[in-house]
Amino acid sequence: GHPAAAARAARRLTDDIAGRVLDALRRADGTTRAVATTRNAVPGVIVTADAAELRALAARPDVRAVRPTVPKVLHNASAARLTHVDRVWRDAGRRGEGVRIGVVDTGIDYTHADFGGPGTPEAYDAVDRTGPWTPTAKVVGGHDFAGDDYDSNDPARATPAPDPNPMDCQGHGTHVAGTAAGLGVAADGSPFTGDHASLTPEALDGMAIGPGTAPGALLYALKVFGCSGATALVGQALDWSLDPNGDGDFADHLDVVNLSLGSDFGAQDDPDNLFVREAVRHGVVVVASAGNGGDFYDVGGSPANTPEALAVANTRDAFTLLDGAEADGARQSGQYSVNYTGYPGLDRTLPVVPVADGGNADGCAPIDQDLTGRFVWLEWDEDDATRECGSGPRTDHAEAAGAEGVLLPATGDVFKAAIGGNAGTPVFQFTAAATRAVRPSLDAGTLRVRLAGALRNAAPTTTPNLADTMTPSSSRGARGPVAAKPDVAAPGDTILSAAVGTGAGAVSLGGTSMAAPHVAGIAALVREVHPDWTVEEVKAAVVNTAGGDVTDGDDRTTGTPEAPMRVGAGRVDAARAVAVDVLAMAEGDAGAVGVTFGPVEAARPLELTRALEVVNKSADWRTARLSYEAATTVPGAAFRVWPPVLVVPPGETRTAEVRLAVEPDLLRKTADPTLEKLQAGLARQFLAEASGRVLVRAGGRELRVPVYAAPKPVGDVEAAYADGAVRLTGRALDQGEGDQAYRSLLTAFELQGTSPELPDCAGEVQVDCALNASARGGDLRYVGAASDGELLAFGLATWRDWVTLGAVNSPWIRVDTNGDGAPDYVVEAAKPTDALGTVTADVWLARTTRVADGAVVDEQPLNGAHGDVDTNLPDSDVVVLPVALTALGIDPASGSARIGYTAGVSGQYPAPGNEAGLVDRIAEPMTFDPLRPGLALRGGWSFAAAAGTVLEVVGDAAALGADRADSLLLLHHHNASGDRAQVLRAVG
């Protein structure tokens, strides 16, 4: 039948079922509340409910499945020149005219001059933010799905109050919309109404706010956040984007949707990703920010990690908007401290002096000097490891000595962290260039400096060599069997765009949230030029032409090039994207442009292939020459492309193969050269990743396709029991010692608990079930315990591999040491975090917390080793959580100390009806005496598993029996998937 008719019929059925479900909710005497209804992409009802009510919903015959929503949080003139957008306006005459961009965010301040509004704060204040609104010529549509008070993470505010008016009350969405499609604001504060094609670089620099990437595009404000907090409404907004007028006909779907939001460490099968997939399937280009989690493995989250999304990393351009201070009458760049509270009235011009005591030049000790009526200069060490003290103590010392302010130098022009200071005394840190400019006057004793609140965000600064360097906070990508992310990179650091409620004012913000709308605008430009291209072809145009190489560090001339897992194909180029007429992309229906092999286990030499399509969109024959260019290399892994030449007729497609050859004996665990080897003072966990780009040269252009694989060798070690001993046979890995060597590792435990494999969550089965493939990495199979007299170790095995431990699957042990049946300690897999819970290092720990006061009493490396010894922690299904006996209050000399414990896995994807909110658990307590283990191998619990090794069985049961109590759980960490956990019994 007709697609629109079919859609309307499906909608009527959905509305009927949703109505019955909502009626049932209204009649129920419970906490269930309807949050939203989706009818287009994934028909359903979004609700908040407890576990019992969810089970009741799941039991209804008209409910197909119940899935959780994972809360999502919020993550230009110089950038326009770097990405060559201004060339598209000028040379191609394209501005994105008529292309419709949906901004799923905090709303848009449509009264701002950047969107053609009145451009006064009074106009913003006069808006009734919950009442009807009149779409403008620029912001032509939208909806507020949330209401201003909504926050999905706060139970008291988790029910949205939608209204028709998508006015922004937070600011993020306004900034994002301006970057994607703002008109620009002239120096006098009026909307730019001239011809964007006429804007010279000098004219752009003279504007108060530069135009967005696609200034001719039409904006839709899809407000899914309140004035603060998180959201669970992204799916509803994507659903709306398929049918803005609500008539059941998807022909009016938006062209591009920008998602500058997400959740770190999300899974590629996150339920919200279903909405992305459906939106793309119906023709919407979905652009998403890759995240601001930093350079940590697998931190890149959803929805950017879904294959269909166009995921954007964050790089820097030459422009930064810094704070200013006037030194000897000249404005210098730097940053003011964040804790000082007196900026509104701050305006002081005073002489500057150093500390007279040369041994206390940094002010880290109390200052014995009268600094009244002066600013004090304190030296600053940029190295966190060697800096004597932070800015807080030295500011306190300066204040106690009477100083009116503190000045700090720097050795770099890019600040890696903010300056804290204190509440009562202003602190200003000069950039390296400014430091060099003022130091002669300081040395001569003539330096006078003016500090003023009015000089904050008032020092536009250009550092040419900063362009195309990596923003450190941009997330290292997510990886999977069909997609590795991000796809591309774009400028997103210190981006100047529209400030909500200011009328015509600007604000500088940074993050992948600011990088994504650059690419959304470029996608709109490609859409304008090629309205008949598929989503995959538009994405390929953006990815293939992202030819800007990005380096680490603060100087692109001396930095190390970044690999695809940080920047995808590279930094985007709008001019090349709209001009390209040959495209290259991975073959298949997954929607990914890049070619990925994902994790590759190699037990023997192998060759894998992935198909690469070359599409000729021109009217001429094209000869495409293909080659591979490496970014990161792994010994024993090699990519090549075959055939090296393709001749592609007009309008047709030809296919090549990207081949990965792996020699497992040659594989070594080599790190990306941009990685820091140490984090938190410890050897970090990392993956050996082979990556680069396929280069396709055709029609006078060079195209890029990212390529990725994570190869590792696997052993095949097996244990057998006879005559009181365990003998290891098979093929073990033994490449010697060192952080590049693979060596088979065996850990041994007394088997204490087993758990059956969970069924899929479907129909009435919504408890004790696996919600998705990611949840299966938390589906417990075996639990065991062992002790060497100093450390107690718990071994866990799951039914399927996890990608990485953490938010998706976090195993834990709850330990009862006093026998009262309540946990006294919790041992869980964790990484170091800051005060806000943000991960700060790729260092996996078994962290033990005392329940009574929440104190961390012990931290041991997972699997018993840090990153300098490979224990095959990622992409595995076995893990060891050790804890020191003394941390549990157990005296190793006491002779006996029986404990009880339970095991489980927390995570983002628990079964919807699980009252404990867990992926899986063994709730029945298990018991163990770490000082008198019932069954063990002599020598402890961790061994190098060389074939031919004989290990003696010791303990109360000197021989293995048929029962669980007389069974050994052996974890072969370096065996292949599905073959790492072995239960050893004499019989059965």
Side-chain angles (χ1 to χ4, degrees), residues 297-377:
Y297 281 88
D298 296 306
V299 68
S302 59
N305 60 7
T306 189
E308 293 82 4
L310 182 52
V312 186
N314 175 15
T315 60
R316 298 183 286 208
D317 61 18
F319 171 83
T320 54
L321 183 63
L322 299 177
D323 298 331
E326 292 178 357
D328 295 333
R331 185 168 298 185
Q332 301 292 346
S333 299
Q335 63 173 343
Y336 283 101
S337 54
V338 297
N339 292 332
Y340 178 63
T341 59
Y343 287 116
L346 175 65
D347 197 337
R348 302 173 189 170
T349 303
L350 295 170
V352 183
V353 297
V355 178
D357 178 5
N360 189 30
D362 58 7
C364 285
I367 300 173
D368 185 17
Q369 180 180 351
D370 185 5
L371 298 174
T372 303
R374 289 170 289 180
F375 295 144
V376 64
W377 181 283

Side-chain angles (χ1 to χ4, degrees), residues 249-273:
D249 187 346
F250 295 176
D252 62 331
H253 66 74
L254 301 186
D255 299 299
V256 179
V257 165
N258 185 87
L259 301 175
S260 287
L261 47 80
S263 61
D264 289 345
F265 295 104
Q268 291 193 345
D269 52 4
D270 185 287
D272 271 352
N273 290 359

